[in-house]
Amino acid sequence: MSLLPPSSAKLFHASPLRLSSGIPPRSYNWNPLPPPHIRFPVARASQAPAAGRVEEEGDLDLPRWAGETPLSRLIGALISFKPLFSIMKLGARQLVIGNAEKSNIPWREMTNEILNSDVYKEMESIQNPSLVYPDYYLNPFHAYDEGNLSWLAAAEAEAATMSIAKLAAPNASTIQEANEIVRGNWLKAVEDHWQCYSGNSKINDILDVGCSVGVSTRYLSEKFPSANVTGLDLSPYFLSVAQYKEKKKAARTKPIKWIHANGESTGLLSKSFDLVSLAYVLHECPAHAIIGLVNESFRLLRPGGMIAVTDNSPKSKVLQELSPVKFTLLKSTEPFLDEYYLQDLEQTMRDAGFINIRTILTDPRHRTVTATVPYS
């Protein structure tokens, strides 16, 4: 998902734990835009079908700006030039915040509400101090120097998610309607697959890998209220916000559980889940991490269980037709986007042992890929 900061939960690697961001002072007033002398044009929302309708696929297997094409290599060379990269990072940041504010998303208010709250108290109960991060997870993501390991990234995550939903459903009259279209189509794909291939059984246990601040986790819990739902992420900052927000809501019959762990090596029991979801996670991962996440999902699922991946669609006509400015800024904030687009996700699932693999475009920008663990 373009410029979205949901975190990824990934590869185990003997790399030191790094939580360098301190606690911001109280009455923190975050201004997310660059100085006034640096300004970039705010993109207009691209035209897309009316709310609830899915746009057709593009003519290509993946965008020309992705993968190993000459255009992709040129963009990579530009991004590798550090002074230019710094400008791109500011431009990407202003692009996503500007689009959010044009859509009446109160980005600053939502961010400051988290930064000035008691969210920091959640860290002690969430953080697994023995967990180490893979090297790739320490890369800058989404214009944050510390990637997903910062309070600012965690505080801005939900506003950014709302902005991306509006981009995916630009004709929706409200942000709530856009969320219902994007999330509703994803959940319908999950439900349809389950009924088609596993309908004789019930979804009792759900794992949301790379759950970020819990937006997708809460949707899963509301869709399947009788299920035990667990959100797992590699960022204790994101999980702290998820737990803090959940405590502010009415108590659920089945409370959501939050786990700070590696999505490729969770330490959870084999065959202990009916549904493993990865929502807007894999585009932040190098190829080896994508493979590891899919393999771990297969291990965790019971026979007849299903995996559901929703993320950027290589065949999205909207993404294939992005302007040069937009796709350059996008790639400047997503260091592993080329690897994601080049990875054959359906084949990766087959190699892991999944069957009944289905891919559909659930909104003009995103696909949902579902698959089943064989019964024998």
Side-chain angles (χ1 to χ4, degrees), residues 189-190 193-194 197-198 274-277 294 297-298 301-309 345-359 368-374:
V190 171
H193 187 102
W194 182 266
Y197 298 107
S198 309
D274 303 297
L275 170 62
V276 173
S277 172
V294 172
S297 297
F298 187 87
L301 285 164
R302 299 177 177 118
M306 68 173 288
I307 185 174
V309 173
L345 183 55
E346 291 86 349
Q347 186 60 50
T348 301
M349 289 182 176
R350 291 189 195 94
D351 293 343
F354 286 102
I355 60 173
N356 303 326
I357 300 167
R358 300 170 67 179
T359 301
T368 297
V369 186
T370 51
T372 310
V373 174

Side-chain angles (χ1 to χ4, degrees), residues 207-278:
L207 179 64
D208 189 22
V209 175
C211 67
S212 182
V213 295
V215 175
S216 55
T217 322
R218 293 193 291 271
Y219 271 98
L220 288 165
S221 181
E222 290 159 10
K223 179 66 175 178
F224 305 101
S226 64
N228 300 303
V229 179
T230 300
L232 182 147
D233 205 277
L234 202 53
S235 170
Y237 299 92
F238 282 54
L239 289 169
S240 294
V241 172
Q243 182 167 277
Y244 172 78
K245 284 179 169 289
E246 188 64 18
K247 286 181 177 179
K248 307 284 279 186
K249 296 180 177 294
R252 299 178 190 270
T253 304
K254 294 288 188 75
I256 297 173
K257 182 179 180 181
W258 309 103
I259 297 178
H260 182 212
N262 182 336
E264 289 189 82
S265 179
T266 63
L268 300 173
L269 293 175
S270 297
K271 301 179 181 179
S272 56
F273 293 93
D274 303 297
L275 170 62
V276 173
S277 172
L278 297 101

Side-chain angles (χ1 to χ4, degrees), residues 26-43:
R26 286 296 184 261
S27 299
Y28 195 89
N29 186 18
W30 171 246
N31 181 358
L33 296 177
H37 63 281
I38 301 177
R39 283 292 182 264
F40 301 85
V42 174

Side-chain angles (χ1 to χ4, degrees), residues 58-115:
D59 295 329
L60 307 174
D61 288 331
L62 70 162
R64 289 189 177 89
W65 47 262
E68 297 178 346
T69 64
L71 178 58
S72 179
R73 288 195 291 269
L74 173 61
I75 297 168
L78 293 173
I79 293 171
S80 66
F81 183 55
K82 288 186 177 181
L84 185 57
F85 170 73
S86 297
I87 297 173
M88 289 180 183
K89 185 169 65 174
L90 286 174
R93 184 160 178 76
Q94 183 170 333
L95 180 69
V96 69
I97 295 172
N99 280 332
E101 293 182 334
K102 283 180 62 180
S103 299
N104 297 317
I105 297 170
W107 185 291
R108 292 174 177 84
E109 290 83 352
M110 293 177 68
T111 300
N112 287 326
E113 181 181 356
I114 294 297
L115 294 177

